[in-house]
């Protein structure tokens, strides 16, 4: 692969192979086309928005979005905000509660649009509380084998659905998307797969647990 064209052709073949491994063709058509706003309210020096983003079929990805409050009398920023998507095994609510220099809240205060989605099977989209968690997880993994849709592939589809929804926001610079994942190998792999398939993800910082 000494020539750039050879490398690009090889890369494209690998991307197509990855799509096949993730079962992208088996993903269900979306029943809803646009994001659904649930609520928007100020919380101190932040605006906290809750929204549902269509993924596949009837699945909606519950998401919290954080951005800084524009001070009274000040003009809203004219430039779009860089997007930081943060994922964690404990889910979006735990990320919202965290404080400190690397927290979602502080990242939003620093001038980013912070996005906290619950992908499959995390937070609101987890199986916890519905039935035995280990049994439910095994059932989904068996189903994934039958469908050719591994669990990280489903989460990858959810993440790309969130990116599609963010693209409609006037304040989001989807050309500057950074994704962080913590405490979950499945989430980490979903992020890496999505970064390989979707050029809107400019950088990724993942914890393979």
């Amino acid at each position: 692969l000494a020539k750039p064209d050879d490398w690009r052709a090889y890369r494209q073949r690998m991307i197509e192979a990855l799509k096949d491994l993730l079962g992208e063709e088996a993903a269900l058509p979306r029943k809803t086309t646009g994001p659904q706003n649930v609520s928007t309210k100020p919380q101190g020096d932040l605006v906290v928005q809750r929204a549902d983003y269509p993924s596949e079929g009837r699945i909606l990805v519950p998401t919290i979005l954080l951005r800084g409050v524009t001070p009274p009398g000040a003009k809203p920023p004219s430039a779009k905000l860089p997007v930081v998507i943060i994922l964690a095994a404990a889910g979006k609510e735990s990320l919202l509660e965290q404080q400190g220099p690397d927290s979602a809240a502080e990242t939003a205060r620093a001038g980013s649009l912070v996005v906290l989605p619950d992908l499959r099977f995390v937070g609101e989209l987890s199986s916890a509380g519905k039935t035995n968690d280990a049994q439910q997880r095994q059932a989904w993994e068996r189903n994934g084998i039958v469908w050719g849709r591994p669990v990280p592939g489903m989460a990858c589809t959810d993440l790309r659905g969130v990116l599609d929804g963010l693209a409609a926001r006037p304040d989001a610079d989807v050309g500057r998307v950074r994704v962080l994942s913590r405490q979950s190998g499945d989430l980490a792999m979903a992020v890496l797969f999505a970064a390989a398939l979707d050029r809107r993800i400019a950088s990724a910082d993942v914890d393979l647990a």
Side-chain angles (χ1 to χ4, degrees), residues 7 17 30-31 39 44 59-60 63 71 85 113 118 123-124 126 136 142 172 195-196 201-202 204:
W7 168 250
R30 293 175 186 170
K31 297 297 184 182
S39 66
I59 293 173
L60 298 173
T63 303
I85 300 175
L113 175 65
D118 277 345
E124 286 189 52
S126 73
Q136 183 78 349
R142 287 196 301 270
I201 299 177

Side-chain angles (χ1 to χ4, degrees), residues 1-208:
L1 300 178
K3 297 179 180 179
D5 287 346
D6 292 339
W7 168 250
R8 283 189 284 268
Y10 171 79
R11 182 178 62 182
Q12 189 58 41
R13 289 198 301 273
M14 293 301 100
I15 288 174
E16 294 305 318
L18 177 59
K19 289 179 180 179
D20 185 55
L21 290 170
L22 297 179
E24 286 282 296
E25 291 188 359
L28 299 173
R30 293 175 186 170
K31 297 297 184 182
T32 305
T33 57
Q36 301 179 11
N37 186 51
V38 177
S39 66
T40 302
K41 62 180 181 179
Q43 186 170 310
D45 56 354
L46 295 174
V47 175
V48 180
Q49 180 181 0
R50 293 176 181 268
D52 293 332
Y53 287 92
S55 174
E56 64 172 316
R58 298 186 183 278
I59 293 173
L60 298 173
V61 180
T63 303
I64 296 173
L65 302 101
L66 306 175
R67 57 181 173 83
V69 172
T70 302
K75 291 183 178 180
S78 57
K80 293 184 177 183
L81 301 176
V83 176
V84 179
I85 300 175
I86 308 176
L87 310 167
K92 66 184 188 308
E93 302 298 339
S94 69
L95 291 169
L96 180 62
E97 294 173 0
Q98 292 176 3
Q99 298 296 324
D102 295 325
S103 66
E106 197 60 37
T107 303
R109 292 187 185 103
S112 293
L113 175 65
V114 176
V115 183
L116 312 174
D118 277 345
L119 310 183
R120 284 176 283 180
F121 294 88
V122 169
E124 286 189 52
L125 294 187
S126 73
S127 55
K130 299 175 184 177
T131 184
N132 181 282
D133 193 48
Q135 292 180 355
Q136 183 78 349
R137 175 61 185 234
Q138 290 173 359
W140 272 106
E141 289 177 347
R142 287 196 301 270
N143 290 342
I145 293 172
V146 174
W147 300 330
R149 292 278 282 147
V151 168
M154 298 179 198
C156 173
T157 298
D158 293 345
L159 178 53
R160 297 184 72 192
V162 171
L163 288 171
D164 290 342
L166 293 173
R169 290 182 63 101
D171 61 348
D173 185 351
V174 292
R176 289 190 292 167
V177 177
R178 182 180 181 218
V179 186
L180 299 84
S181 74
R182 297 291 179 262
Q183 308 153 346
S184 170
D186 280 346
L187 285 175
M189 294 311 301
V191 171
L192 293 176
F193 292 150
L197 298 177
D198 201 314
R199 294 191 178 184
R200 292 175 294 191
I201 299 177
S203 66
D205 181 347
V206 300
D207 170 17
L208 291 163

